[in-house]
Amino acid sequence: MAINTRAVLCFIAIVGATTAASVRAQTPTVELDLTSGYSGEEIRAAAAQVRAFGVVDLRSKIQYFGELSWGQRWAEIPPVAGSELIGADPIGSDVFGAAYPYRKSVQIVEAYAERMFRPGAAMLIVRAGQYRTPFGIYDRSSYGYSGFIRPPLIRYDGYYGLSNNYMERGAMVTAGVPRLFVEASLGKPHDLGSSQRRDGIDGSARVQAYHGALVVGVSHARSEPYLPSYFAFGRQTFTGADARWAHPSGVQLSGEFFHGHSFTGVTTNGWYVDGRVHHVGMGPFTAVTRAESIVYTAAAPFARSEHRVTLGTRVRLPRYATVQLNYMHQHGDLTRIYDNSVDVTVTYSLRYR
């Protein structure tokens, strides 16, 4: 296992500095996830994440969050030739990539501090550090160990869209009133996966509103492309809409749609809809399903499209263990290994306080 020493020391410094100040106020919370997995695409995986978060002190109300991740995959087939030149996954599959990269080294995923202000009925949150790109449904918990082993097609490295491995180093402001808020971020890319955006200034904004059990959002993001500069000109720009809905019976629906381009002269359109069902009679089982599509329009022969359906379950076992089991069927011409696959992961989770 390769160790990114700079990343580890940076993470320790951030968490250490904040927790030292919080000894009298609040004990930090530490979480650990250990995962192993196997895919019908003949790919094995192992991963670990550790998170620390809390409040620096009760008077300043400054909160902090830090997360380290390590992951590695082993495939029976050789890496895809030239994949590193176009930001594509070297294995040629997005399996196990729902929320974290598999780069064979320890990486800082997020490390930031934030402060909330409450002027009257309004809310203002200022965040600084490294964090996930605020676009659409972007939080870790929506993808990591949520029942799906793969990310949506529109959110993976090398698929001409966005990526759950996109990170920003900069500042983010969230402002709002009850039932409506706006998020705005300005920074530079510090991506973790195989798609590494070129250096430059990134900007993104998101508006979210609530009505009863329905949550809707609209996002816009601009950055440098992740593809090489000798053919990918202009800026990467995407605009999207997202929605979430929950029913007291235990049914949840969520999804995203976006339109844009990864560089000038091409277009990417994509969407997905997730469904989750869990009620008391199901015990430890949660049923999940996803339908999705992505279409990349470019000059022949570079155009690509892919359509996929996933069925699965998430099972909470005794003693902190969780199993995820997915069946995936896809068709199209994105890089892939098989059209059908059964994938499984087992995760052991601990929380210390």
Side-chain angles (χ1 to χ4, degrees):
M1 178 179 71
I3 302 292
N4 186 329
T5 305
R6 183 178 179 184
V8 175
L9 292 177
C10 181
F11 179 85
I12 293 173
I14 292 170
V15 175
T18 52
T19 54
S22 67
V23 171
R24 297 181 182 176
Q26 178 180 330
T27 303
T29 299
V30 177
E31 296 178 340
L32 173 66
D33 293 324
L34 302 173
T35 301
S36 63
Y38 182 80
S39 168
E41 293 181 311
E42 300 179 82
I43 300 172
R44 294 169 290 124
Q49 296 90 38
V50 59
R51 293 175 289 278
F53 52 91
V55 179
V56 174
D57 67 75
L58 297 178
R59 288 176 298 178
S60 69
K61 299 180 181 179
I62 297 176
Q63 299 182 345
Y64 63 89
F65 180 90
E67 182 176 41
L68 288 174
S69 175
W70 170 85
Q72 184 168 353
R73 295 184 300 172
W74 298 267
E76 298 299 326
I77 62 172
V80 179
S83 59
E84 70 281 357
L85 300 177
I86 58 172
D89 188 283
I91 288 182
S93 172
D94 54 12
V95 68
F96 308 118
Y100 296 99
Y102 285 75
R103 299 297 300 276
K104 304 180 183 180
S105 65
V106 177
Q107 296 177 288
I108 296 177
V109 181
E110 295 184 90
Y112 61 80
E114 64 182 17
R115 167 74 188 275
M116 177 186 290
F117 303 89
R118 298 301 297 264
M123 173 193 69
L124 177 66
I125 302 175
V126 179
R127 175 183 295 183
Q130 179 171 310
Y131 48 86
R132 295 178 184 270
T133 303
F135 185 103
I137 302 173
Y138 66 91
D139 56 292
R140 172 192 63 84
S141 60
S142 293
Y143 301 102
Y145 312 116
S146 65
F148 295 104
I149 296 174
R150 300 169 188 257
L153 290 167
I154 62 175
R155 285 189 164 272
Y156 192 67
D157 295 331
Y159 286 176
Y160 312 103
L162 299 173
S163 172
N164 281 344
N165 294 322
Y166 281 178
M167 302 291 157
E168 310 295 336
R169 280 188 174 176
M172 175 176 162
V173 175
T174 303
V177 295
R179 300 183 180 278
L180 177 69
F181 69 81
V182 178
E183 299 171 300
S185 169
L186 191 66
K188 303 187 74 173
H190 192 75
D191 304 328
L192 305 180
S194 56
S195 294
Q196 303 273 327
R197 290 172 295 171
R198 305 199 298 261
D199 190 38
I201 301 299
D202 300 343
S204 61
R206 182 172 181 272
V207 179
Q208 179 169 295
Y210 303 79
H211 180 70
L214 179 64
V215 181
V216 295
V218 177
S219 305
H220 182 76
R222 289 173 57 86
S223 68
E224 291 296 316
Y226 70 86
L227 291 160
S229 58
Y230 59 82
F231 74 85
F233 304 105
R235 299 272 283 173
Q236 174 174 286
T237 304
F238 288 103
T239 300
D242 60 270
R244 283 167 280 188
W245 175 81
H247 191 271
S249 64
V251 177
Q252 298 180 6
L253 297 175
S254 61
E256 293 183 86
F257 166 82
F258 76 56
H259 166 81
H261 55 264
S262 52
F263 60 95
T264 300
V266 300
T267 302
T268 301
N269 291 291
W271 61 269
Y272 71 90
V273 176
D274 287 351
R276 296 179 176 86
V277 179
H278 178 81
H279 56 78
V280 176
M282 296 175 66
F285 293 88
T286 298
V288 299
T289 182
R290 172 182 290 159
E292 58 184 321
S293 176
I294 189 169
V295 177
Y296 172 66
T297 304
F302 302 107
R304 297 285 186 272
S305 67
E306 193 78 11
H307 312 280
R308 177 185 291 174
V309 174
T310 303
L311 301 173
T313 186
R314 180 174 183 263
V315 188
R316 285 190 174 275
L317 301 178
R319 302 188 66 83
Y320 316 108
T322 302
V323 174
Q324 298 181 116
L325 179 65
N326 286 180
Y327 167 74
M328 178 275 298
H329 171 73
Q330 62 185 357
H331 61 93
D333 47 20
L334 279 179
T335 301
R336 64 188 188 281
I337 299 175
Y338 297 135
D339 289 337
N340 301 278
S341 180
V342 175
D343 312 319
V344 62
T345 64
V346 179
T347 301
Y348 185 75
S349 300
L350 291 174
R351 171 178 279 206
Y352 304 93
R353 187 118 185 232

